[in-house]
Amino acid sequence: MQNKTLFDSKKFNTFAQKLRGYVDGKADTPFEYLVLILIVVNTISLGMETSRAIVEQHGRLLVLVDQVCLLVFLIEIGIKFIAFNREFFAERRIDEKTGEHFLHVNYWNIFDLTIIAISLIASLSYSPFLRTFSVFRSIRVINAIRSFRIVKTLKLINNVTRLRTLLKAIVGAIPNIAWTFSLLAILAYVYAIIGTHFFRDAFPLFFDGLGKSLLTLCQITTFDDWISEIARPVIAVYPWSWLYFATYVFLTAFVMMNVIVGIIVDSINTERENKKVEKDISLEDISSQIQALHEEIAELKKQLGQNTSTTI
């Protein structure tokens, strides 16, 4: 007789593989849609808890919603542990281009586990035993820890294609934006030195030193009531200073900001074009594979016909 073990690894691996399709983060199953909806609901409830009036009227309901969301998130992380098994934190993959093996870190799994662990610490504070400790007696500490769960809304970026494309485009545009900001910083530095030398005696509140001058120029760049508070009083004393303010506003607020917007738009268009190319390539690969299969089937049929005629 063969020894039958209670644990069948093959069946477990098959089950885990099927289960993985429900929590792979692609938002293509009812369970993943439920999790996304609860993330939104939990985010709204955490925002409502910032209102004292709402907490006084519906405090118990908000706590119940919070606990239900936490329970579903715990179930999700438990399913992920079973589905990913040893590959929960990282897994070995093969590069399609080079064929080399590499270690792929599952950052979203680690992110989820961290957020759930923090939320659990906050939820445990409601137990009478833990509330004997001074740390857990503070409602502010509890709410501060629980508020970390709002970071889970970032998971929406991974599951919504348009948001993911936008984020990739912004991240791709960061180097060019950084160079633009470097140029903007140099420009502000030059104007701050000029403003300090010309206006510090009459307007020490705005131009007394490099730091104050840079802060004033920052206010001008953001259009924060700069005309009535800064520009008009300075122009009243120094009539030619309109040229100073006009050139700075034109170069920073109009030229530089439009350059930054242009960089982001260009990056978004590039990302969309790359996606289209990837889709075209994948379609070409599928069609070529289908064509190769047709050729192999035709070759097999030919060989079968030859073998049949030889046998006869």
Side-chain angles (χ1 to χ4, degrees):
M1 291 180 68
Q2 293 181 347
N3 293 327
K4 291 185 177 180
T5 57
L6 293 172
F7 179 76
D8 192 338
S9 60
K10 288 184 178 179
K11 287 183 178 180
F12 177 79
N13 290 333
T14 305
F15 171 73
Q17 198 64 32
K18 288 180 180 179
L19 199 62
R20 191 164 177 172
Y22 289 92
V23 289
D24 57 1
K26 294 181 181 178
D28 53 1
T29 61
F31 181 75
E32 286 181 315
Y33 283 121
L34 173 65
V35 171
L36 288 176
I37 291 167
L38 285 178
I39 288 172
V40 175
V41 170
N42 195 211
T43 304
I44 293 169
S45 68
L46 287 171
M48 291 172 71
E49 286 180 14
T50 58
S51 172
R52 292 181 180 178
I54 294 173
V55 171
E56 286 176 3
Q57 292 180 1
H58 308 287
R60 290 184 179 179
L61 179 61
L62 291 174
V63 171
L64 179 63
V65 169
D66 185 78
Q67 295 301 302
V68 169
C69 290
L70 178 59
L71 179 62
V72 176
F73 296 152
L74 278 170
I75 292 169
E76 181 200 16
I77 207 75
I79 292 171
K80 281 189 173 184
F81 267 114
I82 296 169
F84 285 87
N85 202 1
R86 295 178 181 178
E87 297 177 343
F88 182 86
F89 295 102
E91 59 185 310
R92 287 194 171 276
R93 290 187 180 180
I94 301 172
D95 194 336
E96 293 179 358
K97 294 181 180 179
T98 60
E100 295 180 355
H101 290 267
F102 68 96
L103 190 67
H104 172 75
V105 180
N106 292 319
Y107 291 106
W108 282 113
N109 288 351
I110 297 168
F111 172 78
D112 282 342
L113 183 63
T114 306
I115 297 300
I116 295 304
I118 292 170
S119 300
L120 269 176
I121 292 168
S123 296
L124 289 172
S125 61
Y126 288 105
S127 67
F129 172 72
L130 288 174
R131 286 187 75 82
T132 57
F133 296 97
S134 58
V135 175
F136 291 113
R137 270 188 246 136
S138 174
I139 300 297
R140 289 182 180 179
V141 172
I142 294 169
N143 289 333
I145 295 171
R146 284 173 59 245
S147 64
F148 275 103
R149 203 188 307 166
I150 203 168
V151 184
K152 200 172 173 68
T153 51
L154 292 173
K155 197 173 180 179
L156 290 169
I157 295 170
N158 188 50
N159 292 301
V160 181
T161 307
R162 291 181 182 274
L163 283 176
R164 190 166 62 246
T165 304
L166 183 62
L167 182 65
K168 283 184 178 179
I170 292 170
V171 171
I174 284 174
N176 290 330
I177 291 173
W179 284 113
T180 307
F181 270 111
S182 299
L183 185 60
L184 184 62
I186 293 169
L187 195 65
Y189 183 78
V190 171
Y191 268 80
I193 292 173
I194 294 170
T196 302
H197 284 299
F198 279 111
F199 312 129
R200 72 187 307 172
D201 294 332
F203 300 94
L205 181 64
F206 300 127
F207 295 99
D208 189 18
L210 187 63
K212 284 188 177 181
S213 296
L214 286 171
L215 186 62
T216 302
L217 292 176
C218 183
Q219 183 179 348
I220 293 169
T221 305
T222 57
F223 297 112
D224 183 18
D225 203 19
W226 67 279
I227 294 177
S228 58
E229 285 189 5
I230 303 168
R232 291 189 187 280
V234 174
I235 292 170
V237 179
Y238 303 99
W240 57 267
S241 62
W242 68 267
L243 188 63
Y244 172 84
F245 293 110
T247 54
Y248 181 76
V249 169
F250 176 76
L251 290 172
T252 57
F254 293 111
V255 176
M256 290 298 178
M257 292 303 140
N258 283 321
V259 168
I260 291 168
V261 171
I263 290 169
I264 293 171
V265 170
D266 183 62
S267 182
I268 291 169
N269 291 332
T270 304
E271 187 64 31
R272 286 176 178 170
E273 286 174 7
N274 290 338
K275 280 209 161 192
K276 286 180 182 178
V277 169
E278 286 176 6
K279 285 182 180 179
D280 293 338
I281 291 169
S282 61
L283 287 171
E284 286 177 6
D285 291 341
I286 291 166
S287 61
S288 63
Q289 288 173 9
I290 292 169
Q291 185 64 31
L293 284 170
H294 280 304
E295 290 175 0
E296 287 179 8
I297 290 166
E299 186 66 27
L300 286 169
K301 284 181 178 178
K302 192 176 180 181
Q303 288 178 3
L304 283 169
Q306 288 176 355
N307 291 335
T308 305
S309 60
T310 304
T311 306
I312 293 169

